[in-house]
Amino acid sequence: MSPLKRVAYFFGLPILLIVLWWALSFGSTNFFVPKPIELAQTLWTTWIGDRFVEDVLPSLGRLAVGLFFAIGLGIVLGLLIGSTRWLRNLLEPLLEFFRAIPPPVLVPLLMLLIGVNDSMKVAVIISGSIWPVLLNTVEGVRAVDSVLNDSCRSFGIRGFARIRYFVLPAVTPQIMAGVRQSLSIGLILMVISEMFASSSGLGFTIVQFQRNFAIPEMWSGIVVLGLIGLGLAIIFQFVERRVLHWYHGLKEITHDS
């Protein structure tokens, strides 16, 4: 696909939706739905300045730390559990139990155990973001080609070398699929964790705007969250293309043939 066509696909639908929004809100006096130009002006005046440093950057910092530990722990524990059959059979019911618990209900418990601080907010992000990576890694290890596994054993490739050169490359596509899900879950939990007993952050600020009937400012905060999600998606695609370049190349060759 040509670069011009990619740009057209990337911006085409958003521009169309903004134009439709402008047309439907033209002449409207609805207090709860701001016009596009008004929202753009509010977005600039509200978030470009001190509020960006005081609310946006701390939220991004907590999100980055939470995702880092969630992805790291998910990969390490997933490789360990997936590679050990008895451990996988032992922990599978427990993992399914904890996975089914919605992370937001853990917020009051974590507030009691950890306290109302940044560690609690990071723990909330980890509690929900770890599961897609962990479970995808476990299933990826279980689905490793048995013939290749026997070949590694025959050649004496064991321990860390087996994980590094055989298991990890084979599981990476499933890991990246789990990471993609973890990014959106982490962003959601970042906002939820900041809505409880917090004095800063995007979630706290958006709720304050809503309670004070600052409707354009509230909408602008939602747009900021959307832009953060878009940024995470672009970064993920950039990293995935480089980590899985061999995988995408193999898919293209298979598709062409």
Side-chain angles (χ1 to χ4, degrees):
M1 185 183 297
S2 65
L4 184 60
K5 197 172 184 180
R6 288 182 180 179
V7 171
Y9 272 113
F10 187 83
F11 290 104
L13 183 58
I15 292 175
L16 180 63
L17 291 175
I18 292 174
V19 171
L20 180 62
W21 176 16
W22 176 82
L24 293 176
S25 62
F26 184 78
S28 173
T29 58
N30 191 332
F31 174 73
F32 298 103
V33 181
K35 298 178 176 62
I37 297 177
E38 179 188 1
L39 181 58
Q41 294 171 343
T42 304
L43 179 68
W44 179 268
T45 57
T46 303
W47 298 102
I48 303 302
D50 293 339
R51 196 178 296 279
F52 181 82
V53 177
E54 296 171 357
D55 291 315
V56 178
L57 290 184
S59 294
L60 292 177
R62 290 188 285 263
L63 176 63
V65 173
L67 288 176
F68 174 80
F69 282 103
I71 294 170
L73 289 173
I75 293 174
V76 172
L77 294 176
L79 290 173
L80 178 62
I81 296 171
S83 301
T84 311
R85 180 174 299 178
W86 67 266
L87 185 61
R88 183 172 66 241
N89 294 334
L90 177 66
L91 294 179
E92 188 171 6
L94 195 62
L95 293 177
E96 291 298 328
F97 172 80
F98 282 110
R99 183 180 69 88
I101 299 176
V105 305
L106 297 177
V107 173
L109 177 62
L110 293 174
M111 289 172 60
L112 292 174
L113 296 177
I114 302 176
V116 182
N117 49 39
D118 287 347
S119 298
M120 182 274 292
K121 299 178 180 66
V122 171
V124 172
I125 295 172
I126 296 174
S127 68
S129 302
I130 191 174
W131 296 110
V133 180
L134 174 60
L135 298 179
N136 275 30
T137 304
V138 171
E139 291 303 316
V141 175
R142 290 178 61 179
V144 165
D145 193 306
S146 58
V147 176
L148 294 177
N149 196 22
D150 293 338
S151 299
C152 282
R153 192 175 292 110
S154 300
F155 282 103
I157 303 175
R158 302 179 184 277
F160 179 76
R162 176 179 173 273
I163 296 294
R164 168 67 178 84
Y165 295 105
F166 171 57
V167 176
L168 198 55
V171 179
T172 302
Q174 287 90 336
I175 292 176
M176 296 305 291
V179 171
R180 181 189 291 271
Q181 298 175 40
S182 293
L183 295 178
S184 58
I185 293 174
L187 183 59
I188 294 170
L189 293 177
M190 177 199 78
V191 177
I192 292 175
S193 68
E194 293 171 349
M195 290 180 174
F196 294 89
S198 180
S199 59
S200 66
L202 275 165
F204 166 79
T205 305
I206 292 173
V207 170
Q208 289 300 111
F209 286 151
Q210 182 263 334
R211 290 173 178 172
N212 294 321
F213 287 92
I215 302 303
E217 287 78 6
M218 181 193 72
W219 277 98
S220 70
I222 296 172
V223 172
V224 170
L225 289 174
L227 292 175
I228 293 174
L230 177 62
L232 289 175
I234 293 173
I235 293 173
F236 173 81
Q237 290 178 1
F238 177 81
V239 174
E240 184 194 36
R241 278 289 173 183
R242 278 145 186 80
V243 172
L244 296 179
H245 59 90
W246 59 272
Y247 179 73
H248 292 295
L250 181 62
K251 286 178 63 177
E252 291 176 2
I253 293 174
T254 305
H255 178 74
D256 293 338
S257 61

